[in-house]
Amino acid sequence: MHNIPNQDRARVLVQALPYIQKYAGKTIVVKYGGNAMISNELKDAVMNDIVILQLIGINVVLVHGGGPEINDMLKKIGKESKFVNGLRVTDKETIDVVQMVLAGKVNKTLVQLLEQHSGKAIGLCGLDGRMIMAEKKAAAEDLGFVGEITEINTGVIENATKNGYVPIISTVAGGYNGAVYNINADLAAARIAAELKAAKLILMTDIRGLLQDKDDEETLIPVVNVSEVPSLKREGIISGGMIPKIDCCVEAVRRGVKRAHIIDGRIPHSILIEMFSDEGIGTMFY
Amino acid sequence: MHNIPNQDRARVLVQALPYIQKYAGKTIVVKYGGNAMISNELKDAVMNDIVILQLIGINVVLVHGGGPEINDMLKKIGKESKFVNGLRVTDKETIDVVQMVLAGKVNKTLVQLLEQHSGKAIGLCGLDGRMIMAEKKAAAEDLGFVGEITEINTGVIENATKNGYVPIISTVAGGYNGAVYNINADLAAARIAAELKAAKLILMTDIRGLLQDKDDEETLIPVVNVSEVPSLKREGIISGGMIPKIDCCVEAVRRGVKRAHIIDGRIPHSILIEMFSDEGIGTMFY
Amino acid sequence: MHNIPNQDRARVLVQALPYIQKYAGKTIVVKYGGNAMISNELKDAVMNDIVILQLIGINVVLVHGGGPEINDMLKKIGKESKFVNGLRVTDKETIDVVQMVLAGKVNKTLVQLLEQHSGKAIGLCGLDGRMIMAEKKAAAEDLGFVGEITEINTGVIENATKNGYVPIISTVAGGYNGAVYNINADLAAARIAAELKAAKLILMTDIRGLLQDKDDEETLIPVVNVSEVPSLKREGIISGGMIPKIDCCVEAVRRGVKRAHIIDGRIPHSILIEMFSDEGIGTMFY
Amino acid sequence: MHNIPNQDRARVLVQALPYIQKYAGKTIVVKYGGNAMISNELKDAVMNDIVILQLIGINVVLVHGGGPEINDMLKKIGKESKFVNGLRVTDKETIDVVQMVLAGKVNKTLVQLLEQHSGKAIGLCGLDGRMIMAEKKAAAEDLGFVGEITEINTGVIENATKNGYVPIISTVAGGYNGAVYNINADLAAARIAAELKAAKLILMTDIRGLLQDKDDEETLIPVVNVSEVPSLKREGIISGGMIPKIDCCVEAVRRGVKRAHIIDGRIPHSILIEMFSDEGIGTMFY
Amino acid sequence: MHNIPNQDRARVLVQALPYIQKYAGKTIVVKYGGNAMISNELKDAVMNDIVILQLIGINVVLVHGGGPEINDMLKKIGKESKFVNGLRVTDKETIDVVQMVLAGKVNKTLVQLLEQHSGKAIGLCGLDGRMIMAEKKAAAEDLGFVGEITEINTGVIENATKNGYVPIISTVAGGYNGAVYNINADLAAARIAAELKAAKLILMTDIRGLLQDKDDEETLIPVVNVSEVPSLKREGIISGGMIPKIDCCVEAVRRGVKRAHIIDGRIPHSILIEMFSDEGIGTMFY
Amino acid sequence: MHNIPNQDRARVLVQALPYIQKYAGKTIVVKYGGNAMISNELKDAVMNDIVILQLIGINVVLVHGGGPEINDMLKKIGKESKFVNGLRVTDKETIDVVQMVLAGKVNKTLVQLLEQHSGKAIGLCGLDGRMIMAEKKAAAEDLGFVGEITEINTGVIENATKNGYVPIISTVAGGYNGAVYNINADLAAARIAAELKAAKLILMTDIRGLLQDKDDEETLIPVVNVSEVPSLKREGIISGGMIPKIDCCVEAVRRGVKRAHIIDGRIPHSILIEMFSDEGIGTMFY
């Protein structure tokens, strides 16, 4: 890499031009998670990608999860979790930990990290400015404080981007009764993207994208029209953990986001590569 | 109270007029803590006070501590604290808990509470927009991540107030090296008030104010010129836990805040009473 | 009154909150007249009410009459008035006196009075910025310079409120031919309220409101839907001097003003009481 | 005049160009009075002059007196005036008449007249927005409500010009005690011009200007440096009724107005002639 | 002319008032050409007219041709032109000369001339900001770089007028392929006028206007409704060189320009005379 | 080049970040000339460089010469030039050609070229908005219309950049007497850069930069403090054609431009390389 001569560097910039022109002034919502939030090298690359996008006039909104940190903290206080259909039964003590870890630890640590990469950031959660309002998720078995989004208010997000700050968002939501609910971060990102009329939703995952044969990374499906999703599910190509991710993409596109992407966060600079090349990376839903 | 006839209610409003005129468009920094942050009735009264001030055009900035919640959490994870001269020795595990509890739990819970009283709020900490930058506090014995403020950046605070949100602030600070430091909340409030050129700093405490005879609440000293503080210390009238509180008031006034107040947070609506009466409440430093 | 303790005062302010929130940024047109414009104590109370409303962000527009002062002046110059159906036959000399007394004496004296209560005011009449344009009122018998409104231009009013001044308005109107016309002040207030899309029109009178039994003030009808007015007239409940007042309320509501009120100007602070209590005061038309 | 061919008309416009360029965006204060306020033909010419100035981007502020109308009204109510050193002893009844006639009759009638010439106007007096504040004039003999200017607040004037209205101003002033004072209109015009940093003060009079020989209009002195005024007084060239007029000019220039003019209001379009020719008209003080 | 007394001059200004009021803030597109662009006296008069219009708040956009200068230059380089149906066959060498002469010589010389008359000007051509886009004109015989307008972008024109500059425009246009095309200046003026929603298009010519009898200047037809044009052509009243001029007027009116004028540029100040008199000058199409 | 993998491309962008941050919102004046204005490949590279700079928020102002095109045209019309001390004796016919070729041909052709690379451009010369005012250059022998800059007015330049257009500037200047002068383009660029308080002046030349040994390109002097220039001249290191170029750099720095560069326009993307690398390219004067 360090051998790239200056002229080739200049050409790389020139070749990035049409992509910059395409997205300047637009909003991109990135759901951050997985390995890209664990490895230090990947974290640095993500922060650099965000700073460069912000600098060339693209509004980046970063939505994050934090499952591993929540688990660590629950373990630390000796709390055991019960799961129903893959959803954590969230009692009062658990939701307190979720709020504390996401909005207090993961979120503000990301804020500081972006600032160390000379970005400007502000850490928000769904409670700030009533950004994410929710009600208790209906379920066969009582899941406790697991919520379903009822309303998105983008005021605090837009104040941040308008003033040059990258909003970094934890997805705990407020209830009308004063309760706090845990919310699926992918879905929150999709809903926020829709409300902001974002040009793109990017979900960072630990897989290549949607694969024709899930065991062969060479069989990546680069582009999917959301109308094809039901048949892809029937054929079993969309299955398992991919289902909720892809449902988020479909939800975002249905609500007006131009393009939703599932990209491989394990590849350094995957966001920039997605934004600044024709072939992109991962799978795009439109 | 409910017997107050409508005409007397109108007169109360009319009599509040000169105070409203005096502070409209100005900024007031309130350091929130003590009993006023514990009793539900007092919490409601504080929230109502803030909402009414905001509504009549006064910018309120709320800075909070959270010692009791930090202690609870440390106890929960079985961490014992060592104290040196009243300052907690703060190792990495402890500062993580401090950040998490203050910025994730106490802060966001206050945001939600103010919104339930129909205010608009945003929860911030010293890491957001590099609001409070600090370096390790010099001390005879190593105190760990206890910091000393080096820089206040009010960008995110001013964006909030300009857009009609009450900024609620946790006082964890960022270090230039990426460390996080615990910061004395009273002092942070004083410094923020100075940087915002606030008209008032109000410290909510669990005492009446400065007393001539500390055992007799009837001996309240209502007004103190900051130049009298040294002799009041020599006479022992300012002593014990009052010293750091009053030093904060002096610091704020020295840096340009017009008036700094120590008020009794145990009295409901003490903020409004302080703002909207000639005699005020507690002790005023100027 | 002076015995109300500070805490109760604070509670009164807190209880005013929802009303302030409801009307902040809205426009209220008050037709000022009757005893409230004669008694010094009542005048002070009205001025205080207006200043407090303006301060909390409500745009107040004050429209006034001035019958008694006109009569005094006419008597002083030895001019006798002839009346037809309760309307003064207004010859050239009379309209000159009307203009002079309303726009020169009553109006500017009110401006000064509001300013002495630390309000900001500007005195306008229908001639300023062609605010009220009129033509000769058609009538069986020639009434002289009695006019009918043909056009309302709110430019000068809006410049005043936008710059923080309470516009105080005399209702003499200009004709397209350069004549000046006397205009019914209640009706002018209703038309101005409609043109400004005011949230409220308040007519200050010397009665309680609309009474079921006009001799029993305990029989106040607090709320009337404008569609009920015709039947209330048929039943004789709306009769005599109430008819034109209530017709103004109906006119205002028909033209889009949310609520029109007939309140008792003899009660001090009747405007504030109307605005800041659920039960209100007087009769509301909607 | 009507024989001027179109091409010559075009040339007249072209020749006005440098004068328009010189004053565009500037403020001109005109003290209106004398014959120019009596003859209908002259009144029309003044109104046309003002409208054209406003249209080409010059802010005109019109200050008027109204002695004859005040005298008529006082006579009408059978009030006799006593004079001391040429100043009317102004009791309460008299000041009421002064306020009423100036602010209610003369002022608003001028507003309507300008609007009939398709100008936009707003009628103000010294009470509006506390524009002219005064205190009782010290004098050997008690003059009653004759005032001396203590303060000029140009807020309402500037709001008017900024919004395209010509402010027309009566010079009754408010006292700090709620009294109303009669004020010399020439002096008020000079002080307002100074406060507005006007480019010109124009006093319309019934004389040619300052004459070397007061009985020979051919001896007009076209330009006077204010430093020459004392010697011109000693020589008796400035004498009699000219003294206060010229003192106003000196006052205006001393307080920063670039040029003050005494022009002959009996000549139609004297304002335009003054503004749009090199030689000007009347006497200029600088 | 120089004998016009000052008062008559003032009256001329006053009589211009209604015309100024009518066009203030509006846009006028003037196609400049013919004798008015040759005689120094006429050039001065045109420049003065433009400056005065700009000064009183009318946005003037000047579009010019330059046939004679192009011919001179072609002759100088020994290039002979071939004409087909009155259109010059424009090879690469010729279009280079056209661009150079129009945009480099005629245009910038006009800019300097207007500035010498104390106007503010900026010289533009159809290439600036892609103002005039064109494609090759379809024709029986190949005309080379003669273009047909496909698109008008008024960005650079509006930036100029918004900032107080008169845009002076050469009508060379850009092709999508990088070619440059020569464009008929009358037609370009019409299209620009339409795109700017101009109040007037004025074509300066060397004839009186449309004449009933083309050999008798006394038979001028002052006003034509564009719907009458076809029958006027059939009758032979519109014929010869008048046809394309009048087609431009029709095109402009059809596309929304209020009025289009053919005026006689040989008369000094013909633009001002057209704008500032009821009878106007030349022939008006509406 | 096309083998650079996407990740390396992303890294190139990330590494450009600090340079983008450094110059965002700043102004860069580029003097364009030499081979970079002849070779099509180099022209494309320059246009791309400018578009990318503009897009990331850097205001680029392009100043160009055009000696070869002027010579071609003069030859075409059979005009021979006489030179005195390397300066062309510029008679009226010659200055006409200079103006025509620079402002009409070279300038507008560059405008079109930049637009074909999807930039936004506007072509200006020193006559537009009186941008460059000059007087006849004093010289032993009469040089004709060779001018010396007396005044720079940046109004039209700033309107262009503010509205997102790259101003492209020909350096013909206007005289106060209406004459047009030819101006040295390097010097004009230096003066414009100074007036705009540009962050950088870049002179594109056909040499590497300042060389220790002018015959050995390996002896490039990368950085020169302007105070060293006199001694470098004495030593003969700065000599010949370098003298005026370097004098321009010195002039720019002396007048407040932070940095002036002599770069090698023969290297593709030399502007980007200079801006986006630490080592830069060519010689920097500060």
Side-chain angles (χ1 to χ4, degrees), chain C residues 100-119:
Chain C
M100 204 165 64
V101 170
L102 288 185
K105 191 173 168 216
V106 180
N107 183 268
K108 299 298 184 181
T109 302
L110 285 174
V111 165
Q112 192 180 30
L113 188 64
L114 191 65
E115 286 171 346
Q116 286 184 280
H117 287 78
S118 71

Side-chain angles (χ1 to χ4, degrees), chain D:
Chain D
M1 163 72 190
H2 288 96
N3 306 344
I4 299 179
N6 274 332
Q7 261 184 56
D8 282 358
R9 289 172 179 273
R11 285 202 189 96
V12 167
L13 287 168
V14 167
Q15 287 163 9
L17 238 179
Y19 305 99
I20 297 180
Q21 291 181 308
K22 189 169 168 190
Y23 289 108
K26 301 269 168 57
T27 295
I28 305 294
V29 175
V30 176
K31 162 62 204 325
Y32 184 33
N35 274 303
M37 225 168 109
I38 294 166
S39 139
N40 280 335
E41 191 212 335
L42 289 173
K43 277 156 76 175
D44 282 347
V46 169
M47 294 302 130
N48 277 328
D49 288 5
I50 293 171
V51 172
I52 206 169
L53 291 177
Q54 192 79 7
L55 218 103
I56 59 185
I58 299 169
N59 298 318
V60 182
V61 174
L62 196 69
V63 176
H64 65 86
E69 289 86 348
I70 293 169
N71 290 339
D72 285 358
M73 194 66 205
L74 288 173
K75 197 185 299 169
K76 224 171 187 171
I77 65 166
K79 178 90 191 174
E80 243 165 283
S81 295
K82 191 182 146 199
F83 284 83
V84 173
N85 292 332
L87 288 168
R88 190 195 307 269
V89 179
T90 306
D91 61 9
K92 182 68 178 77
E93 195 181 16
T94 305
I95 188 66
D96 278 359
V97 167
V98 167
Q99 174 187 329
M100 206 166 62
V101 169
L102 288 185
K105 191 173 168 216
V106 180
N107 184 269
K108 300 296 183 183
T109 301
L110 285 175
V111 165
Q112 193 181 28
L113 189 63
L114 191 64
E115 287 170 345
Q116 287 184 280
H117 287 78
S118 72
K120 292 174 67 186
I122 188 167
L124 302 170
C125 76
L127 301 170
D128 293 295
R130 305 169 70 85
M131 187 208 296
I132 313 175
M133 298 302 291
E135 59 188 19
K136 194 180 162 76
K137 193 185 175 73
E141 204 165 330
D142 187 347
L143 296 166
F145 296 96
V146 173
E148 197 128 33
I149 297 171
T150 54
E151 192 187 330
I152 299 282
N153 300 301
T154 57
V156 287
I157 301 175
E158 287 167 320
N159 287 340
T161 54
K162 200 177 58 196
N163 289 293
Y165 295 92
V166 174
I168 299 182
I169 300 171
S170 301
T171 59
V172 289
Y176 298 92
N177 51 1
V180 172
Y181 293 105
N182 193 8
I183 291 287
N184 177 277
D186 292 333
L187 202 49
R191 292 291 301 274
I192 287 169
E195 210 62 42
L196 292 170
K197 299 181 196 316
K200 259 188 206 297
L201 167 69
I202 295 176
L203 301 183
M204 298 185 80
T205 67
D206 289 343
I207 48 169
R208 272 292 136 118
L210 181 60
L211 303 175
Q212 191 75 34
D213 168 355
K214 77 178 167 44
D215 299 323
D216 180 358
E217 294 206 333
E218 299 306 298
T219 64
L220 178 78
I221 306 176
V223 179
V224 175
N225 185 311
V226 294
S227 66
E228 306 167 36
V229 167
S231 67
L232 286 166
K233 281 181 176 171
R234 278 192 304 272
E235 297 165 31
I237 293 170
I238 297 175
S239 68
M242 279 309 266
I243 294 179
K245 294 268 171 206
I246 287 175
D247 284 352
C248 281
C249 291
V250 172
E251 175 84 0
V253 171
R254 284 269 151 80
R255 285 176 181 269
V257 178
K258 290 261 173 63
R259 293 165 169 204
H261 302 261
I262 289 178
I263 69 171
D264 187 347
R266 298 167 306 178
I267 300 172
H269 301 296
S270 49
I271 301 173
L272 272 197
I273 296 170
E274 164 43 43
M275 303 273 312
F276 287 159
S277 65
D278 269 344
E279 64 280 17
I281 198 172
T283 300
M284 177 183 94
F285 297 83
Y286 70 100

Side-chain angles (χ1 to χ4, degrees), chain C residues 12 20 31 38 47 68 79 83 93 97-98 103 105 108 135 158 164 169 171 178 183 203 233 237 253 259-260:
Chain C
V12 166
I20 297 179
K31 162 63 205 323
I38 295 166
M47 294 301 130
K79 177 91 191 173
F83 284 83
E93 195 180 17
V97 167
V98 167
K105 191 173 168 216
K108 299 298 184 181
E135 59 189 18
E158 287 168 319
I169 300 171
T171 58
I183 291 286
L203 302 184
K233 282 181 177 171
I237 293 170
V253 171
R259 293 166 170 202

Side-chain angles (χ1 to χ4, degrees), chain A residues 43-277:
Chain A
K43 278 155 77 176
D44 281 348
V46 169
M47 293 302 129
N48 276 328
D49 287 4
I50 292 171
V51 172
I52 207 168
L53 291 177
Q54 192 76 5
L55 218 104
I56 59 185
I58 299 170
N59 297 319
V60 182
V61 174
L62 196 68
V63 177
H64 65 85
E69 288 86 347
I70 294 170
N71 289 339
D72 286 357
M73 194 64 204
L74 287 173
K75 198 185 298 172
K76 223 170 186 172
I77 65 165
K79 178 89 190 175
E80 243 164 281
S81 294
K82 191 183 144 197
F83 285 83
V84 173
N85 295 331
L87 289 168
R88 190 193 309 265
V89 179
T90 306
D91 61 10
K92 182 70 179 71
E93 194 181 17
T94 304
I95 188 68
D96 278 1
V97 167
V98 168
Q99 174 186 330
M100 205 166 63
V101 169
L102 287 185
K105 190 173 169 216
V106 180
N107 183 268
K108 300 298 183 181
T109 301
L110 285 174
V111 165
Q112 192 180 28
L113 188 64
L114 191 64
E115 287 170 346
Q116 287 185 280
H117 287 78
S118 72
K120 291 175 66 187
I122 189 168
L124 302 171
C125 75
L127 300 171
D128 293 296
R130 302 169 71 85
M131 187 208 295
I132 313 176
M133 297 303 289
E135 58 188 19
K136 193 179 161 78
K137 192 185 176 73
E141 204 164 332
D142 187 347
L143 295 167
F145 295 95
V146 173
E148 197 128 32
I149 297 172
T150 54
E151 194 186 330
I152 300 282
N153 299 300
T154 56
V156 286
I157 301 175
E158 287 167 318
N159 287 341
T161 54
K162 201 177 58 199
N163 288 294
Y165 293 92
V166 174
I168 299 183
I169 301 171
S170 301
T171 58
V172 290
Y176 298 92
N177 51 1
V180 172
Y181 293 106
N182 193 8
I183 291 287
N184 178 278
D186 292 332
L187 202 50
R191 293 291 302 275
I192 287 170
E195 211 62 42
L196 291 170
K197 299 181 198 315
K200 258 188 207 297
L201 167 69
I202 295 176
L203 301 184
M204 299 184 79
T205 66
D206 288 344
I207 48 168
R208 273 289 136 118
L210 180 60
L211 304 176
Q212 192 74 35
D213 168 356
K214 76 180 167 44
D215 299 323
D216 179 359
E217 295 205 332
E218 298 307 300
T219 63
L220 179 78
I221 305 175
V223 179
V224 175
N225 186 311
V226 293
S227 66
E228 306 166 37
V229 166
S231 68
L232 286 167
K233 281 181 178 173
R234 278 193 303 273
E235 297 166 31
I237 293 169
I238 298 175
S239 68
M242 279 309 266
I243 294 179
K245 294 269 171 203
I246 287 175
D247 283 352
C248 281
C249 291
V250 172
E251 177 83 359
V253 171
R254 286 268 150 79
R255 285 175 180 269
V257 178
K258 290 260 174 62
R259 293 167 171 201
H261 301 261
I262 289 178
I263 68 170
D264 187 347
R266 297 167 306 177
I267 301 172
H269 300 297
S270 49
I271 301 173
L272 273 197
I273 295 170
E274 164 44 43
M275 302 273 312
F276 286 160
S277 65

Side-chain angles (χ1 to χ4, degrees), chain F:
Chain F
M1 163 73 192
H2 288 98
N3 306 344
I4 299 178
N6 274 332
Q7 260 185 55
D8 282 357
R9 287 170 179 275
R11 284 203 189 97
V12 167
L13 288 167
V14 167
Q15 286 163 9
L17 239 177
Y19 304 100
I20 298 179
Q21 291 181 309
K22 189 168 168 191
Y23 290 107
K26 302 267 170 58
T27 296
I28 304 294
V29 175
V30 176
K31 161 63 203 326
Y32 184 34
N35 274 304
M37 227 169 109
I38 294 167
S39 137
N40 281 335
E41 190 212 336
L42 289 172
K43 276 154 79 175
D44 282 347
V46 169
M47 295 300 130
N48 276 328
D49 287 5
I50 292 171
V51 172
I52 206 169
L53 291 177
Q54 191 78 6
L55 216 105
I56 58 185
I58 299 169
N59 297 319
V60 182
V61 174
L62 196 69
V63 177
H64 65 85
E69 288 87 348
I70 294 169
N71 290 339
D72 286 357
M73 195 64 205
L74 288 173
K75 198 185 297 169
K76 223 170 185 170
I77 65 167
K79 177 91 189 174
E80 242 164 281
S81 295
K82 190 182 145 200
F83 286 83
V84 173
N85 293 331
L87 288 168
R88 191 195 307 266
V89 179
T90 307
D91 60 10
K92 181 71 181 72
E93 194 181 18
T94 304
I95 187 68
D96 278 0
V97 167
V98 167
Q99 174 186 328
M100 205 166 63
V101 170
L102 287 185
K105 190 172 170 218
V106 179
N107 184 269
K108 299 298 183 182
T109 300
L110 284 175
V111 165
Q112 193 180 29
L113 188 64
L114 191 65
E115 286 171 347
Q116 286 185 280
H117 287 78
S118 73
K120 292 174 67 186
I122 189 168
L124 303 170
C125 76
L127 300 171
D128 294 295
R130 304 168 70 84
M131 188 209 294
I132 313 175
M133 297 304 290
E135 57 189 20
K136 195 179 161 76
K137 193 183 176 74
E141 204 165 332
D142 187 348
L143 296 167
F145 296 95
V146 173
E148 197 129 33
I149 297 172
T150 54
E151 193 186 330
I152 299 283
N153 299 301
T154 57
V156 287
I157 302 175
E158 287 167 320
N159 287 341
T161 55
K162 200 177 58 197
N163 288 293
Y165 294 92
V166 174
I168 299 183
I169 301 171
S170 301
T171 59
V172 288
Y176 298 93
N177 50 1
V180 172
Y181 293 107
N182 193 8
I183 291 287
N184 178 279
D186 293 331
L187 201 50
R191 292 292 301 276
I192 287 169
E195 211 62 41
L196 291 170
K197 299 181 198 315
K200 258 186 206 298
L201 166 69
I202 295 176
L203 301 184
M204 299 184 80
T205 66
D206 288 343
I207 47 167
R208 271 292 137 116
L210 180 60
L211 304 176
Q212 192 75 33
D213 168 355
K214 77 179 167 45
D215 299 322
D216 179 0
E217 294 205 333
E218 298 307 298
T219 64
L220 178 78
I221 305 175
V223 179
V224 174
N225 186 312
V226 294
S227 66
E228 305 166 38
V229 167
S231 68
L232 286 167
K233 282 181 177 172
R234 277 191 305 273
E235 297 165 31
I237 293 170
I238 298 175
S239 68
M242 279 308 267
I243 293 178
K245 294 267 170 205
I246 286 175
D247 283 353
C248 281
C249 291
V250 172
E251 176 83 0
V253 171
R254 286 268 150 79
R255 286 176 180 268
V257 178
K258 290 260 175 61
R259 293 166 171 201
H261 301 260
I262 288 178
I263 69 170
D264 187 348
R266 298 167 305 179
I267 300 172
H269 300 297
S270 50
I271 300 173
L272 273 197
I273 294 170
E274 164 43 42
M275 303 274 311
F276 287 159
S277 65
D278 270 342
E279 65 279 19
I281 197 172
T283 300
M284 177 184 94
F285 296 83
Y286 70 98

